[in-house]
Amino acid sequence: MSSGASSKLRKFGITLSFIGPICILYICFFVVPLGGSFLYSFTDWDGLQSTFQWVGFRNYTDMLWNSGDFRDSFLFTLKFSALNIVLVNVFGVLLALLVDSKLKSKYALRVIFFSPNVISLIVVGFLWKFFFSSVLYEMGTKLGWDFLTYSFLGNPDHILYPIAGVSLWSSVGLAMVIYLAGLQGIPGELKEAMHVDGAGSWTRFWKMTLPLLMPAIISNVFLTTTNSFKVFDLILSLTGGGPANSSQSLAINIYREAFTANSYGSGTARSIVFCLFIVIVMLVQFRVMRSKEVSA
Amino acid sequence: MIRRGFGEIVAVLLALLFLLPILFALLNSFKTNGEMLRSFVSWPETWQFGNYKQVWKDMHYPRALWNTVLVTLFGVGFTLLFSAMAAYRISRMKGSRGFWLLMFFTLSMMVPFQTIMIPLVKLASELNLMNSRFGLVLMIIALFSPFTIFLYRGFMTQLPAELEEAARIDGANVYQTFFRIIVPLLLPVTATAAVLNVLWVWNDFILSFLMLQREEVMTLQLTVYRYFGTYSQQWNLALVSLILAAIPVLIIYLMLQKYIIKGVAAGAVKG
C-alpha cells in the first residue's frame, strides 16, 4: 500500500522534472498574460495609474460601434489577407513549376527565391521603402515609364498593393518550397500515363497536377492566412501604418491603441476580439481540412 | 535545345529582377550621400568602404550582434531542451492526460502575440525583467516552446517502444533512457526545430522591441530599426545598416541552404 503510494509520488516527481520547467515559464509568460488581457478588457486602465475602474462591456461596444479606426484596420487586414493569400499561392505554384523543370539553373533559382524568407521583415520593409521611393522613381523618369514614377507609398487609396507586393516578395519562396515538395511527391508513372493519353500540358496541369497538389495547397493557404492576419513588422517598417493610418493592420492598431494612446483597457479588448477572430478562422480551416481528408 | 537556352535566360533574368532591391541597396551603400542623391542607379564613382566603418561604429555592430547571438543561442537552446523533455513525457502518458496537456500547450499557437502583449509588458516591469536579456530569453522559451513540443511529440509517438524497454531492462533509469537513447534519435526533428526557431528568434522584432529599450542590450533588428529612423536623411548609411543586419543570417543561409530550406518546409507543413 505505502509502496504503491510512494511509487506514484516518484512517478509524479519524474513527470514534474520533465514538464515542470516549461510549465512554469508557459504559465508565467503566456497563461497569466492571457488571463490578464481578458480581465483588463473590462476596465478603463490607462497603463500609467495603478487604479482602474470596471466598465463592463464598454470597451467592446465602443470598439464595435464607435471607433472607426478599429473598423478601418479590420477592413484593411481583411483586404490585405485576401490579396496576399491569392498572390502568394498563385506565384508560389508558378515558381515551383519553374524550379521543378529541367532548367540547369533550378537549384540556384530555389536558393534565390527563398532567400528573402531568412531576412527579418523589418529589414525587408526598409529595403523596399528605399527601392520604391528612390530607385524605381529614377528608373521611371530616365526610361520614360510613367507608371514607375507613381508615388507607391504616398497614396492612401492604393497603399494595399505595394504592401501586398512586398509581402509576396518576402514570402513567396516558402510557398514555392512547399509546392515543390508537393510536385516532387507526384509519382512519375502518373505523369507518364498522362503523356501516353495524349493530354496537353495545360490539361495535365488542371486535371492532374493541381488536384494532386491539394495537400500542399491546403497547408500553404493555412499558413498564408494566419500570417497575413498577423502582419506587423513588415508594415511597421514599410509604411509605419500610413499614409494617414491607411495601412494600419489590426496588429498595428492594437499596438498603437495600447502603447501610443495609452488605452490598455481598450487595447486589450481589441486584442481579445483579434484573437477570437483568428481562432474562428483557424477552426474553419481545420473543418475544411477534415472534410477534404475524408473526401480524398 | 534553343528553347531550353531561352528558358535558362528568362529564368536568370527573373532571378535578377527578384534580387533588384537587394542589388540596388548594395550598390548605393557604397556611395557618398551627395552622389547618391544625384543618381540612385549609377555605379559608385569611388567605393566608399568608409560608410561601413562608420555604421559599424555608430550602431555598435559587434555589441548588437553579440546580443542577438546570445539571445538566440540561449533562447533556442533551452526551447529545444525543455520542449523535447516535455514532449517525451507527454507522448508516453497513458489515457487522455497526454492529449489534454498537449492541448494546453498548443492553445498558444492560436493566440496572436498582440493578445498577451499588453499584460506581458506590465508583468515584465513588475518582475524587473525589462531591459534584461535573461528575461527576454525566458519569454522566448515560454512562447516558442509550444510549437516545438508539438513537433517533437509527433515524432516521438512514432519511435519504437522496444528501444526504451531494452534500456530499462539493462538498468537505465528514465533520465538515462531519455538522454542516451531518445535524444540521439531526435536529430532529424531537432534540425527542423532548430532551423525554424533560430530564424524566428533571430528575426524577432516585436517581443524584443517591447522588452529591450536600453541601447546596450538591443539586438540587431532593434538597432537597425532605430538607426534607420535616425538616419532617414542619409540613405547611404541607412542602407549600410540594413545590409549589416542581414549579412550574418544570409551567410549562414548560403552555407546551409539545403538544410534550411528543407527544415522550414517540413516545419511549415506540420504547423
Side-chain angles (χ1 to χ4, degrees):
Chain A
M1 188 67 190
S2 75
S3 84
S6 82
S7 107
K8 233 180 189 169
L9 200 67
R10 217 179 59 98
K11 240 185 161 173
F12 182 70
I14 291 171
T15 300
L16 209 60
S17 68
F18 274 93
I19 300 182
I22 190 59
C23 253
I24 293 169
L25 291 175
Y26 182 72
I27 290 172
C28 190
F29 296 117
F30 175 76
V31 178
V32 167
L34 182 64
S37 256
F38 186 71
L39 291 180
Y40 288 137
S41 73
F42 297 101
T43 71
D44 64 355
W45 188 33
D46 62 3
L48 304 170
Q49 282 153 335
S50 52
T51 57
F52 50 78
Q53 310 251 299
W54 295 94
V55 295
F57 281 92
R58 206 182 67 200
N59 289 325
Y60 289 91
T61 52
D62 274 356
M63 165 189 6
L64 297 173
W65 283 282
N66 298 336
S67 37
D69 64 313
F70 183 75
R71 204 166 42 225
D72 290 347
S73 69
F74 200 93
L75 281 177
F76 172 81
T77 310
L78 280 182
K79 281 192 239 163
F80 166 77
S81 301
L83 190 57
N84 196 42
I85 294 161
V86 172
L87 285 178
V88 169
N89 285 287
V90 169
F91 282 93
V93 171
L94 291 178
L95 287 185
L97 289 169
L98 180 72
V99 300
D100 190 39
S101 61
K102 294 191 177 98
L103 294 176
K104 274 204 198 89
S105 51
K106 64 181 178 186
Y107 297 106
L109 290 176
R110 282 179 206 170
V111 175
I112 288 171
F113 292 134
F114 189 79
S115 61
N117 281 274
V118 303
I119 307 174
S120 83
L121 288 169
I122 290 289
V123 169
V124 168
F126 284 143
L127 190 68
W128 276 88
K129 189 179 176 178
F130 166 76
F131 191 67
F132 274 133
S133 52
S134 61
V135 180
L136 275 187
Y137 185 83
E138 194 179 325
M139 280 173 147
T141 16
K142 288 209 167 136
L143 296 168
W145 293 353
D146 283 344
F147 66 96
L148 287 182
T149 60
Y150 178 75
S151 166
F152 287 99
L153 301 178
N155 186 345
D157 295 332
H158 299 142
I159 194 68
L160 187 64
Y161 308 108
I163 294 177
V166 177
S167 172
L168 172 67
W169 184 80
S170 76
S171 57
V172 71
L174 177 58
M176 172 194 79
V177 167
I178 297 172
Y179 282 124
L180 180 65
L183 283 176
Q184 290 172 341
I186 298 176
E189 304 93 71
L190 260 180
K191 285 183 192 167
E192 272 164 36
M194 287 294 275
H195 268 297
V196 174
D197 285 351
S201 54
W202 187 246
T203 334
R204 210 160 56 227
F205 175 74
W206 282 106
K207 291 272 164 68
M208 187 194 73
T209 313
L210 219 52
L212 284 172
L213 272 184
M214 217 20 139
I217 295 175
I218 290 174
S219 23
N220 256 327
V221 169
F222 282 21
L223 199 68
T224 30
T225 306
T226 32
N227 285 345
S228 333
F229 281 129
K230 295 184 198 164
V231 61
F232 182 87
D233 302 11
L234 181 72
I235 293 183
L236 192 69
S237 56
L238 186 62
T239 68
N245 290 337
S246 56
S247 62
Q248 265 199 17
S249 66
L250 274 173
I252 291 189
N253 180 271
I254 292 165
Y255 173 82
R256 294 258 159 89
E257 180 72 7
F259 298 115
T260 311
N262 273 323
S263 319
Y264 278 33
S266 153
T268 46
R270 290 174 184 203
S271 77
I272 294 284
V273 171
F274 182 40
C275 180
L276 286 177
F277 177 67
I278 290 203
V279 168
I280 290 170
V281 169
M282 288 179 101
L283 289 178
V284 170
Q285 289 182 334
F286 281 131
R287 261 286 162 81
V288 173
M289 186 160 69
R290 278 273 168 78
S291 67
K292 284 276 187 254
E293 268 169 5
V294 170
S295 70
Chain B
M1 212 46 213
I2 291 166
R3 224 183 125 193
R4 173 85 63 82
F6 180 70
E8 294 288 350
I9 291 169
V10 170
V12 169
L13 282 178
L14 196 65
L16 269 178
L17 203 66
F18 191 81
L19 290 179
L20 225 48
I22 298 179
L23 297 176
F24 273 106
L26 208 58
L27 197 68
N28 284 293
S29 73
F30 286 105
K31 295 180 189 170
T32 66
N33 204 43
E35 192 187 339
M36 192 174 74
L37 293 178
R38 273 197 304 281
S39 172
F40 292 105
V41 294
S42 68
W43 205 252
E45 283 156 26
T46 46
W47 294 75
Q48 304 288 336
F49 289 97
N51 289 351
Y52 278 77
K53 229 174 171 175
Q54 187 185 340
V55 176
W56 180 283
K57 221 171 63 216
D58 282 357
M59 68 187 275
H60 297 279
Y61 188 72
R63 189 175 67 190
L65 184 64
W66 173 243
N67 286 335
T68 318
V69 168
L70 214 62
V71 166
T72 308
L73 214 61
F74 282 98
V76 176
F78 280 99
T79 296
L80 295 178
L81 176 68
F82 288 166
S83 301
M85 284 163 53
Y88 175 59
R89 205 63 191 167
I90 288 173
S91 71
R92 296 296 180 266
M93 277 179 179
K94 302 220 163 57
S96 62
R97 276 186 310 158
F99 171 79
W100 287 113
L101 256 174
L102 190 70
M103 282 291 130
F104 172 64
F105 283 116
T106 45
L107 172 76
S108 73
M109 286 163 62
M110 295 182 119
V111 177
F113 179 71
Q114 270 71 20
T115 306
I116 59 161
M117 159 183 89
I118 300 162
L120 191 65
V121 169
K122 178 84 182 148
L123 187 73
S125 68
E126 266 166 27
L127 294 174
N128 259 327
L129 292 176
M130 282 302 227
N131 291 312
S132 148
R133 284 162 297 186
F134 172 71
L136 179 63
V137 165
L138 292 182
M139 290 172 208
I140 286 169
I141 301 169
L143 299 178
F144 287 82
S145 284
F147 175 76
T148 316
I149 292 176
F150 181 76
L151 214 58
Y152 271 127
R153 188 209 153 259
F155 187 82
M156 283 181 195
T157 45
Q158 288 162 7
L159 290 179
E162 290 85 35
L163 281 168
E164 288 163 66
E165 271 155 34
R168 203 164 308 134
I169 291 163
D170 284 348
N173 67 31
V174 63
Y175 300 103
Q176 288 164 331
T177 310
F178 176 70
F179 284 104
R180 298 221 185 117
I181 309 288
I182 302 293
V183 167
L185 294 173
L186 296 178
L187 196 64
V189 68
T190 302
T192 300
V195 164
L196 279 170
N197 280 308
V198 165
L199 278 180
W200 286 336
V201 173
W202 186 280
N203 289 332
D204 167 69
F205 179 73
I206 177 78
L207 177 62
S208 11
F209 183 64
L210 291 171
M211 294 305 153
L212 307 176
Q213 278 151 6
R214 262 188 24 234
E215 228 190 311
E216 301 89 83
V217 288
M218 282 188 179
T219 60
L220 273 178
Q221 313 311 329
L222 305 184
T223 321
V224 84
Y225 184 70
R226 210 179 131 104
Y227 194 88
F228 205 89
T230 332
Y231 284 80
S232 55
Q233 298 306 311
Q234 284 178 287
W235 278 107
N236 58 339
L237 299 183
L239 290 174
V240 174
S241 76
L242 295 187
I243 289 161
L244 282 178
I247 259 178
V249 74
L250 278 177
I251 290 176
I252 294 173
Y253 170 62
L254 288 179
M255 282 179 353
L256 302 174
Q257 36 98 0
K258 229 170 109 189
Y259 304 96
I260 291 176
I261 293 180
K262 211 187 271 169
V264 171
V269 172
K270 274 164 203 141

